[in-house]
Every structure is written in C-alpha cells, then in structure tokens.
Amino acid sequence: MPNCACHQRPSTYDDWGTHTLNDQQRLDLLEIFEERYRRKSTLITAQLPVAQWHDMIGEPTIADAILDRIIHNSHRIALEGDSMRRKKAARPLTDVENSETNTN
C-alpha cells in the first residue's frame, strides 16, 4: 500500500502561466512531469486558459511533451464567476480617502 496515491503528496503549481518559461525551466518541468506521469498526483491552478498553455511554455516540441503528460489524463475543474478576492474586498476608497492615502 505505500505506493497508493493516498500516501503520496501531490506536487502543486499555483498560478500556473503567470510568465513565460526559459529553456532550463522548460526542461526542468518536463523532467518533473515525466517522473510523476501516472505515478503521482499533480495539482495545477491557473487563470490562464488551457488553450494558451502551449504558448506560455514556449518551445513547441517541449511544450507538446509537457502538455501530453499533464492534459490527457487530467481532471479539470473550471470555475466561473467573479473572483472571490473581489467579492471579499473592502469597499472602494472615496476620492477624499484616496487623496489622503496618496499624500501620506
């Protein structure tokens, strides 16, 4: 039972796709996802649509290899609606409050 997924910690990538990758980052990710493929769980959160991941990764051959390992056996949960941060945000500052904040 030690190889059961319930005993393994998932690898988590939060805010995936916030910047493009350089050559070394692409190769590192390919190695990580190759090692984890069908053996370990990986959790990815992103605001960037999956259709744009290929361009974000960059180099087409490496992007194909990385995405092949994470897209085809994945379970996707697409959230819709306004950001929870926006919903919980404090009310906007008034013009007077803004001017006081900017002068201090």
Side-chain angles (χ1 to χ4, degrees):
M1 273 302 219
N3 290 330
C4 173
C6 59
H7 295 284
Q8 298 174 5
R9 298 173 76 180
S11 181
T12 303
Y13 298 87
D14 191 21
D15 286 334
W16 171 267
T18 56
H19 62 280
T20 56
L21 304 176
N22 65 38
D23 290 340
Q24 187 59 54
Q25 290 169 328
R26 282 190 283 272
L27 293 174
D28 290 344
L29 276 176
L30 178 58
E31 185 177 332
I32 290 166
F33 290 131
E34 176 65 28
E35 171 64 29
R36 300 186 70 79
Y37 184 67
R38 292 189 165 204
R39 289 191 283 274
K40 299 178 183 176
S41 297
T42 303
L43 177 65
I44 300 172
T45 67
Q47 292 186 29
L48 184 69
V50 173
Q52 295 176 23
W53 289 10
H54 197 275
D55 291 335
M56 179 273 301
I57 293 169
E59 202 281 311
T61 303
I62 301 294
D64 286 344
I66 289 171
L67 294 176
D68 187 52
R69 285 155 180 81
I70 57 179
I71 300 292
H72 302 294
N73 291 308
S74 67
H75 298 279
R76 286 191 212 170
I77 301 171
L79 303 179
E80 295 180 8
D82 205 7
S83 163
M84 291 301 294
R85 288 187 181 106
R86 277 193 211 118
K87 287 181 181 180
K88 292 181 180 181
R91 64 171 176 72
L93 296 177
T94 65
D95 291 337
V96 172
E97 291 169 327
N98 263 328
S99 65
E100 290 172 354
T101 302
N102 293 329
T103 58
N104 293 332

